[in-house]
Amino acid sequence: MSEAALACALLALDPEGLKGAIVKGPADGFLASLRHLSQRKTHRIPPHIGMDRLTGSIDVAATLKSGAPVHDRGLLAESDGFLLLTSAERLSPDKAALIAAAMDHGAAFTVIAHDEGIDDERAPLILAERVAFLLDVSRFEPLDIDIAAARALLPRVEIADAITEGLCQTALALGLSSIRPAVMALRAARAAAALDGRVQVDEDDARLAASLILAPRAVTYPAPPEEEPDQPAPQDAPDPGEEDGSPIPQELADRLREAVKASLPPGLLAALEKNLRQPGSKAGAGAVSQKAGLRRGRPAGTRQGEPKNGARLALIDTLRAAAPWQPLRRRSNPIRKGVQVEKADFRIRRFKEKRETTAIFAVDASGSAALHRMAEAKGAIELLLADCYVRRDRTALIAFRGKQAEVLLPPTRSLQRAKKSLADLPGGGGTPLAAGIEQSMLVADQVRRSGGIPLVVFLTDGKANIARDGTADRAVALRDAEAAAKALRLAGFRTLMIDLSDTRTGPAAKLAEAMGADYLPLPHADASRISASVNAAMKAGA
Amino acid sequence: MSLRYPFSAIAGQDELLQALLLTAVDPLIGGLLAFGDRGTGKSTAVRALAALLPEIRATSCAYHCDPDSTSAQCDACRKAATHKLRKISIPVVDLPLGATEDRVLGSLNLERALSHGEKSFEPGLLAQANRGYLYVDEVNLLEDHIVDLLLDVAASGENVVEREGLSVRHPARIVLVGSGNPEEGELRPQLLDRFGLSVEVRTPTEVKTWVEIVKRRDAFERDPEGFTALWEKQEDQTRRRIVKARKHLNEVEVPDFILERAATLCIHLKTDGLRGQLTLMRAARALAAFEGAKHVTDDHLKRMAAPSLRHRLRRNPLDETGSTTRITRAVTEVFGA
């Protein structure tokens, strides 16, 4: 029996309390099963849905037809079934915030966010925070059960204090900072008991709730419980309903923790490590900040004109323009029914695109660079960060060392996080320059696709010695790096190369030429000059 | 609209609750900023406040003007010889992130324009929030042009609309309450300064607190009516306390040496402008009023120093030391240990 199937049953049983799920992978089976079990309707919401459709506004078509304004309450107020957010990773933060606010106000709908993102793209965190389940439904096998009996049982299910306490302890041990998941774990445990035909939550229910709801949100790996002298376990058969029989909270918490550990997916440890490297961040905190400032053309009013050549008609404004003339027009043309709109009333939307610059710092943290002037490089970046802060630009940080490059900080506006990642930057190891360049290109490409302007700043001595495939071969490494640099030039990103080596004729200078970067040797540049040149580059790019 | 979680039942966020109560005692403190992790009860607290606030007398216009203060009335109320009065609860209005300028400022009333061919003003969220609270969740993600507009209104207490051939001005004395998670983007310093108080909301670290919160929340969700009824008495008590504190606010004395202390503290911390000192004084006075004291003491000042000043320190963006630590240090230095 898969976890996803159980979660599906629990959600169908208590959609109000569990609030929804974020699902990854092909979701048809999951959705069909959910619909079948719950007998509720599903309303699809694509990420490009209009804001007014969500919150409700004047129904323009009906208004034009009837001549009197017709209001539409909006999907968030109307729907009471499942709200299926397709491609949830593309949902803009403001729409996600609207949905979240509606949930906070006790909306009748249940959110199923289908996250179809790859890599770094994720469903908005603000929603992930508010739903119970974060599921991978790619191998979904529907459960063949009937939940009618369980539904009748659910309101009577009791939960012992010890179990509540155990769940809270588990949540704390996993480093959760939000209390919502703990509350929902309680609901899930109740639903699980009801599903099993009981009116008393037992340990297994709690274990299931913990592994379904708390484990996927883990920020820290639970510490092993302190070695205890073998205690006899008297709760082999805890008698439900009897206070005496309920397990001692501490032991229960330990056992829950074990259950959670067992259900942590492989590879999570690596993910956790990553989370730890960004102190204070919860799993995937980058996702929202990545899109937070994204403004692909905010509306900049309307103007008179015809909706041709892709211009969008601003219906409300058109009506508004026509409104004052209605009595006059009705007098001159009494036969025509409804609002009389004429061509001169047409208003079209204008958008102003405010493109944000994202400075991507690719830092060579290898031994050779560290030896030279890591401290100075860090100082220079700090200065630049301060500039970015003033200009409200976003920053990203990539470090390459050892055998690979990694994104320490996805594009963010939070200076605090940038600062922390920089402070924790480890040093030493080889110089996988090619990997570094490629990684920067990926991030830059992401930025550009989401409507921003990327600026890549390399800080390296250019002494590549790890090839793309991870082998330590200086010649191949240099060739790979140059190839990557050329690709970068072809992609047409603005780049700046800050040379950390002592000579102006070293490999870094050559690379700069290959990637068409502005070249700035550090020995002759003080920190303020670096920041001035980055600023100049940003202005030129904007 | 479903029932709101009772204010008194919120556990483990004492600083936030106190700050909110003080803005209710003296709206001139000028709003509140709550920054912190998700799921720590920020929005719950703000929305719960709405149910707690006492009723006020208002005129029957769209802006529910204060009948006792001509300077803060809309044009129509000022001209009217007599007012039809009504009692309303202090409004708490949510400003959703995606709100358009039209929605915030107000715009042409389409209905009247269509049916009567008349130009008339449809009041927006600012009008609704006059004399009350405007709450912006995720305030750090708010579009810049809306932020500018809020700044302007919060500073002037008046909303001026000049668009679509409309020319309207109406009072908009709002207490701006914002919440957000600083990891998702920071707030512009100009906006920061507009908030009277600021609170850093943290997740409780004690299992006991967690259990209490989870149990209460669970009880509320399962039986909203029953749970709310359970807390009604405490809610009433707090409400009465607010009303009393509001009445006594002007009688609370602020001795000169306290003002001097406050000034010394602000100079010591090098806060920008006088707004910090003014807020500190008002917050301390509101606290004194709320606690039934006759005059402001050192203790009140000490307790309000962090929430009034922590967001006004001139910040080296790369300095690691937290603002709260710096204030605690300064308080110790100024007041003696």
Side-chain angles (χ1 to χ4, degrees):
Chain A
M1 193 157 47
S2 76
E3 285 202 331
L6 259 174
C8 177
L10 295 179
L11 192 57
L13 187 56
D14 186 10
E16 291 87 13
L18 296 173
K19 320 261 195 245
I22 296 208
V23 295
K24 240 178 163 9
D28 292 341
F30 176 84
L31 292 171
S33 173
L34 189 62
R35 258 194 305 263
H36 169 71
L37 285 175
S38 67
Q39 299 293 323
R40 288 172 120 208
K41 276 181 307 199
T42 310
H43 208 118
R44 291 180 87 88
I45 295 198
H48 51 79
I49 187 171
M51 206 73 143
D52 42 2
R53 192 62 198 104
L54 282 179
T55 55
S57 62
I58 283 201
D59 183 336
V60 178
T63 301
L64 269 177
K65 210 168 168 192
S66 69
V70 177
H71 289 274
D72 150 22
R73 285 173 64 215
L75 276 175
L76 296 182
E78 271 169 12
S79 37
D80 53 359
F82 291 108
L83 223 52
L84 174 62
L85 311 172
T86 54
S87 302
E89 75 285 352
R90 290 281 154 96
L91 195 69
S92 68
D94 44 357
K95 286 174 206 163
L98 268 182
I99 298 174
M103 290 171 82
D104 284 354
H105 283 272
F109 59 79
T110 305
V111 170
I112 307 293
H114 191 194
D115 181 348
E116 292 162 271
I118 39 165
D119 300 336
D120 279 352
E121 292 179 318
R122 269 181 237 194
L125 204 76
I126 187 170
L127 291 179
E129 153 79 23
R130 281 169 172 80
V131 299
F133 301 112
L134 313 172
L135 295 173
D136 182 352
V137 293
S138 46
R139 276 189 301 277
F140 181 79
E141 292 157 27
L143 278 181
D144 188 23
I145 47 167
D146 183 21
I147 60 166
R151 190 170 283 155
L153 213 54
L154 187 60
R156 291 191 286 126
V157 177
E158 295 290 326
I159 195 158
D161 285 358
I163 301 243
T164 311
E165 205 164 305
L167 281 171
C168 287
Q169 277 189 9
T170 313
L172 269 170
L174 290 172
L176 264 58
S177 63
S178 168
I179 297 202
R180 284 196 188 96
V183 177
M184 289 187 288
L186 223 63
R187 300 285 293 221
R190 269 211 188 88
L195 205 61
D196 204 28
R198 282 174 285 113
V199 287
Q200 185 79 31
V201 172
D202 71 12
E203 214 183 297
D204 285 334
D205 303 328
R207 204 174 287 148
L208 177 72
S211 55
L212 272 177
I213 295 179
L214 303 180
R217 295 179 159 88
V219 181
T220 50
Y221 198 67
E226 282 131 54
E227 285 292 314
E228 286 174 71
D230 256 17
Q231 255 180 358
Q235 62 282 344
D236 271 350
D239 193 1
E242 245 182 60
E243 263 325 296
D244 304 347
S246 53
I248 309 158
Q250 183 56 49
E251 281 177 29
L252 173 69
D254 288 347
R255 280 205 297 279
L256 285 180
R257 214 173 294 168
E258 285 306 313
V260 164
K261 252 195 223 173
S263 70
L264 290 176
L268 182 77
L269 267 188
L272 285 181
E273 245 168 52
K274 237 185 193 162
N275 283 335
L276 289 180
R277 212 165 296 148
Q278 304 168 0
S281 78
K282 286 149 293 300
V288 166
S289 43
Q290 242 179 34
K291 292 184 180 173
L294 203 166
R295 257 155 270 158
R296 189 167 276 186
R298 69 169 158 97
T302 55
R303 67 176 172 83
Q304 200 169 18
E306 275 187 82
K308 287 193 296 203
N309 302 328
R312 283 171 61 197
L313 182 71
L315 275 167
I316 302 278
D317 297 273
T318 304
L319 280 179
R320 221 173 250 152
W325 302 100
Q326 293 310 305
L328 260 179
R329 286 185 192 160
R330 236 170 266 146
R331 232 169 287 150
S332 61
N333 188 359
I335 307 130
R336 221 178 108 190
K337 284 265 190 314
V339 182
Q340 303 192 11
V341 178
E342 289 174 10
K343 203 170 129 192
D345 301 329
F346 283 151
R347 296 288 184 275
I348 55 174
R349 280 175 209 234
R350 289 188 328 170
F351 291 96
K352 192 151 70 185
E353 219 168 322
K354 183 187 173 200
R355 309 225 327 183
E356 274 183 323
T357 307
T358 302
I360 302 160
F361 294 100
V363 184
D364 180 353
S366 68
S368 63
L371 203 68
H372 278 104
R373 34 214 335 179
M374 203 58 214
E376 276 166 271
K378 279 189 185 178
I381 298 179
E382 288 211 346
L383 254 178
L384 291 172
L385 283 177
D387 274 341
C388 291
Y389 176 73
V390 172
R391 299 159 32 88
R392 315 269 315 144
D393 288 331
R394 300 193 301 168
T395 47
L397 189 62
I398 294 168
F400 48 100
R401 61 181 277 267
K403 283 196 163 40
Q404 54 184 336
E406 79 181 301
V407 182
L408 289 183
L409 183 73
T412 175
R413 234 190 223 173
S414 169
L415 190 68
Q416 281 177 17
R417 289 185 59 201
K419 221 169 57 194
K420 279 184 206 154
S421 323
L422 190 64
D424 298 345
L425 187 68
T431 313
L433 192 49
I437 297 177
E438 275 169 7
Q439 189 65 54
S440 328
M441 211 160 106
L442 277 179
V443 176
D445 190 48
Q446 252 177 25
V447 169
R448 188 153 69 183
R449 266 188 296 141
S450 56
I453 303 167
L455 168 71
V456 191
V457 183
F458 288 97
L459 292 101
T460 176
D461 55 5
K463 289 174 184 147
N465 56 17
I466 304 287
R468 188 181 296 163
D469 55 8
T471 51
D473 184 328
R474 196 172 291 272
V476 180
L478 261 180
R479 255 203 323 275
D480 281 357
E482 256 170 57
K486 278 181 191 144
L488 191 66
R489 172 180 223 154
L490 280 179
F493 297 117
R494 268 200 87 85
T495 45
L496 180 70
M497 167 74 77
I498 298 178
D499 189 351
L500 300 180
S501 67
D502 302 325
T503 52
R504 309 194 70 167
T505 49
K510 252 188 228 146
L511 272 179
E513 208 187 313
M515 62 175 75
D518 296 327
Y519 174 72
L520 201 71
L522 193 56
H524 305 281
D526 54 20
S528 59
R529 220 182 103 197
I530 296 181
S531 100
S533 53
V534 173
N535 269 334
M538 281 178 172
K539 272 188 204 113
Chain B
M1 177 77 75
S2 55
L3 274 173
R4 287 168 201 241
Y5 191 79
F7 191 82
S8 323
I10 296 169
Q13 296 296 357
D14 299 335
E15 198 191 358
L16 173 64
L17 298 194
Q18 186 179 59
L20 275 172
L21 286 175
L22 294 186
T23 61
V25 172
D26 183 3
L28 287 180
I29 288 175
L32 169 73
L33 181 68
F35 254 18
D37 291 330
R38 292 180 180 287
T40 43
K42 296 180 300 264
S43 25
T44 311
V46 179
R47 287 170 183 146
L49 183 71
L52 191 66
L53 293 170
E55 292 192 320
I56 47 171
R57 293 192 317 139
T59 62
S60 54
C61 68
Y63 317 108
H64 31 267
C65 294
D66 184 353
D68 302 324
S69 151
T70 12
S71 62
Q73 285 174 357
C74 66
D75 290 345
C77 287
R78 212 173 298 164
K79 278 181 206 142
T82 52
H83 297 296
K84 231 178 159 180
L85 292 185
R86 55 181 170 150
K87 281 205 151 186
I88 58 162
S89 44
I90 295 180
V92 177
V93 177
D94 257 30
L95 181 99
L97 266 194
T100 58
E101 266 177 50
D102 276 8
R103 187 83 192 89
V104 178
L105 292 172
S107 63
L108 184 74
N109 185 332
L110 210 56
E111 194 164 339
R112 289 190 73 97
L114 281 172
S115 46
H116 305 289
E118 245 176 54
K119 238 175 21 184
S120 75
F121 180 63
E122 163 105 53
L125 292 175
L126 284 171
Q128 266 180 47
N130 183 28
R131 303 180 67 197
Y133 290 75
L134 190 68
Y135 173 49
V136 193
D137 196 5
E138 313 273 348
V139 64
N140 43 345
L141 302 183
L142 198 66
E143 293 263 13
D144 275 355
H145 63 287
I146 303 277
V147 172
D148 293 341
L149 190 153
L150 287 181
L151 282 180
D152 189 42
V153 172
S156 63
E158 189 177 47
N159 178 25
V160 181
V161 185
E162 295 285 355
R163 53 198 298 168
E164 290 157 340
L166 289 166
S167 174
V168 179
R169 56 177 58 216
H170 69 78
R173 309 205 159 189
I174 52 169
V175 177
L176 206 55
V177 177
S179 66
N181 182 348
E183 294 202 345
E184 279 154 26
E186 285 163 48
L187 218 53
R188 276 160 53 190
Q190 299 97 305
L191 188 57
L192 268 181
D193 192 45
R194 291 286 175 217
F195 288 100
L197 305 178
S198 88
V199 180
E200 286 165 7
V201 186
R202 288 185 201 295
T203 316
T205 47
E206 280 187 9
V207 181
K208 237 171 56 195
T209 322
W210 271 67
V211 172
E212 197 52 43
I213 298 173
V214 168
K215 272 168 127 179
R216 285 186 191 174
R217 189 78 223 179
D218 186 56
F220 172 72
E221 279 181 18
R222 276 160 62 88
D223 179 15
E225 285 86 9
F227 188 80
T228 317
L230 219 59
W231 288 90
E232 193 46 50
K233 210 168 144 196
Q234 269 205 319
E235 296 274 282
D236 263 345
Q237 256 172 25
T238 319
R239 194 174 297 129
R240 273 200 297 274
R241 244 180 121 180
I242 297 178
V243 175
K244 208 169 133 201
R246 278 173 94 116
K247 217 182 280 167
H248 290 301
L249 185 65
N250 287 329
E251 297 157 18
V252 176
E253 269 180 64
V254 188
D256 282 351
F257 79 93
I258 287 286
L259 287 179
E260 251 169 61
R261 281 269 165 86
T264 321
L265 189 63
C266 290
I267 293 168
H268 198 86
L269 283 165
K270 300 195 183 70
T271 55
D272 290 339
L274 283 174
R275 203 174 272 137
Q277 197 187 334
L278 206 58
T279 309
L280 176 57
M281 192 268 287
R282 282 187 178 138
R285 188 172 56 194
L287 183 64
F290 190 68
E291 295 184 344
K294 293 218 163 38
H295 46 85
V296 177
T297 65
D298 269 359
D299 180 54
H300 296 132
L301 214 54
K302 271 192 218 169
R303 277 154 64 198
M304 293 324 291
S308 318
L309 300 176
R310 65 160 69 94
H311 53 299
R312 295 177 212 274
L313 300 190
R314 186 170 298 174
R315 198 156 55 122
N316 174 358
L318 300 167
D319 186 6
E320 283 289 350
T321 329
S323 310
T324 315
T325 330
R326 278 166 69 191
I327 290 177
T328 323
R329 211 183 294 147
V331 166
T332 328
E333 278 164 29
V334 171
F335 290 88

